[in-house]
């Protein structure tokens, strides 16, 4: 198939915080402007704008794409907003890729934003109506129910303990100490995680990423534009997105088919046959610690049930053979939903350019994969980047 | 076929009540904070000026939407007068109930600003109101001002 090559040439990110003074559009502008400056471009160089932002109910702004448009550089330009729940942030570069790979545009500013602190008493309240009004809502479900059921099923299937899973939280929060945008970088222990407040067994407070405010942006261009802008373009070399079953309760919870389907689509496009050997660096989506493990398996980076051992053996550490979430992930950097996914893309961009500073993984990485998960907990979005 | 059936009362069907139990607390933001602080403390409007585009925003923005320049250090003061660009007379509330007293709403371009500002017009001005009318903000007494949109009571026809 004949797609045009698409490059990432600039990135910007705000600090992720619990409560931002800035409005959502101000956050979007800060990230978007930073991405343009990083690319050495101005708004006049931008042909079109793509905005990724998760439920309107978080910011409390209906039609949030329109609300964010001016801060995202959309003034008098073609603008599209997309939304695939938690998968939105990694869908953002895919959406931008579509605009350029098609040949329609040369440059695209991709902006993601979330301001969850507007929502009271808690963003979780906005989720009640994602559950079926007849078969689930009368039980008063919360999102954590899903994760608790899924984590329990995953542990049971492979004989894992809560301590095996807690190691992910320990690793990612430690990595986040070196991320300038991070909200929750910290040196914690497995014991800290195990002793933190139980929310819905086996999920505990420190198994979960925080609610955050923040924005992130990148600039995508066609190949010939990229060559003129930078001598270090990072290519969007594979894209994939998929659902598994259309409803969370109709799939087996121990394995994320939605990731495998999306990953196979992205790997096929990128010409990757053995992801566990060819991928140098991974940013699987980790809103919960067990989810990083789940998603490593769905991304075919290891055998099913084996991810926890890789974490325990230090393989996924920043200086390991397969660094996973060297950014610090959602668990450490924070989780302003759509901006989190793009934060992972930005981490690949910086790592592959050798510009990740204190977070730089050794070994001159050339190929990375980032992934996010969302919608009704059954959408996978995957992007392979390379240089 | 269901669209041919007439369920006159949906309580006749087995149904579930639901609601999304959230409310919102919005921050003023960087620009809003300065704008409403100036109204509250000084009874004045401020805006931001993009020199590159020669555009003044009031209500302000800390960035220029046209060229993306930072306007965080480009504050200007504006008079509390402006021109009516469009107006309407509202006679029903958002539930379709007739208002006791019609409400006059106008898009107002503050003198010197390039964008417009939507606010109330005093209903005593309704006879003289026209597009192009010059109007003036009437602020609440200082001790009643809270740094919100309601610190402006309304706009009225300016005394020339
Ligand atoms: Zn300007």
């Amino acid at each position: 198939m004949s797609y045009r090559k698409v490059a990432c040439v600039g990135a910007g990110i705000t600090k992720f915080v619990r409560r931002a003074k800035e409005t959502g559009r101000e956050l979007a502008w800060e990230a978007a402007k930073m991405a343009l400056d990083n690319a050495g471009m101005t708004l006049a160089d931008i042909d079109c704008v793509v905005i990724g932002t998760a439920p309107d109910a978080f910011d409390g702004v209906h039609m949030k794409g329109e609300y964010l448009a001016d801060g995202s550089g959309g003034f008098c330009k073609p603008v599209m907003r997309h939304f695939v729940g938690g998968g939105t942030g990694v869908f953002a570069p895919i959406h931008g890729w579509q605009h350029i790979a098609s040949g329609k545009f040369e440059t695209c500013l991709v902006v993601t934003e979330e301001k969850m602190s507007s929502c009271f008493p808690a963003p979780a309240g906005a989720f009640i109506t994602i559950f079926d009004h007849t078969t689930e809502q009368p039980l008063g479900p919360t999102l954590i129910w899903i994760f608790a059921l899924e984590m329990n099923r995953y542990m049971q299937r492979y004989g894992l303990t809560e301590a095996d899973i807690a190691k992910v939280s320990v690793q990612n929060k430690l990595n986040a100490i070196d991320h300038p945008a991070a909200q929750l970088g910290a040196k914690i222990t497995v014991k800290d995680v195990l002793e933190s407040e139980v929310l819905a067994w086996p999920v505990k407070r420190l198994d979960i990423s925080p609610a955050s405010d923040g924005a992130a942006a990148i600039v995508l261009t066609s190949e010939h534009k990229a060559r003129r802008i930078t001598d270090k373009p990072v290519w969007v070399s594979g894209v994939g997105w998929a659902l598994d079953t259309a409803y969370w309760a109709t799939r087996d919870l121990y394995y994320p088919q939605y990731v495998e389907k999306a990953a196979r689509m992205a790997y096929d496009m990128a010409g990757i046959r053995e992801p566990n050997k060819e991928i140098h660096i991974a940013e699987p989506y980790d809103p919960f610690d067990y989810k990083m493990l789940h998603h490593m398996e769905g991304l075919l980076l290891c055998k099913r049930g084996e991810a926890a051992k890789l974490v325990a053996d230090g393989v996924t550490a920043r200086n390991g053979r397969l660094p996973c979430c060297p950014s610090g992930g959602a668990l450490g950097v924070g989780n302003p939903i759509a901006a989190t996914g793009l934060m992972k893309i930005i981490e690949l961009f910086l790592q592959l350019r050798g510009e990740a500073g204190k977070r730089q993984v050794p070994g001159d990485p050339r190929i990375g994969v980032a992934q996010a998960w969302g919608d009704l907990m059954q959408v996978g979005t995957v992007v392979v980047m390379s240089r | 076929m269901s669209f041919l059936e007439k369920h006159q009362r949906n309580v006749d069907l087995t149904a579930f009540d639901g609601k999304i139990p959230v409310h919102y607390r919005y921050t003023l933001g960087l620009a809003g904070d300065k704008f409403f602080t100036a109204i509250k403390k000084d009874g004045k409007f401020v805006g931001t000026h993009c020199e590159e585009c020669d555009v003044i925003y009031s209500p302000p923005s800390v960035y220029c939407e046209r060229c993306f320049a930072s306007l965080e250090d480009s504050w200007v003061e504006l008079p509390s007068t402006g021109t009516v660009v469009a107006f309407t007379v509202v006679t029903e509330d958002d539930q379709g109930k007739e208002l006791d007293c019609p409400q006059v709403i106008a898009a107002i371009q503050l003198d010197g600003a390039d964008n417009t500002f939507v606010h109330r017009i005093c209903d005593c001005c309704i006879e003289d109101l026209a597009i192009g009318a010059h109007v003036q903000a009437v602020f609440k007494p200082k001790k009643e001002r809270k740094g919100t949109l309601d610190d402006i009571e309304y706009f009225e026809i300016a005394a020339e």
Side-chain angles (χ1 to χ4, degrees), chain A residues 211-232:
Chain A
S212 314
D213 295 350
I218 56 171
V219 181
L220 297 179
T221 73
S222 62
E223 182 176 11
H224 75 271
K225 277 271 182 192
R227 302 270 185 214
R228 276 190 276 164
I229 291 164
T230 176
D231 50 11
K232 287 200 287 185

Side-chain angles (χ1 to χ4, degrees), chain B residues 7 46 52 54-55 87 103-104 121 123-124 137 139 155-156:
Chain B
H7 293 293
V46 293
E52 181 68 27
D54 196 21
V55 167
F87 69 92
Q103 195 179 18
V104 188
I121 300 279
D123 52 14
C124 64
F139 296 99
F155 282 71
E156 62 182 13

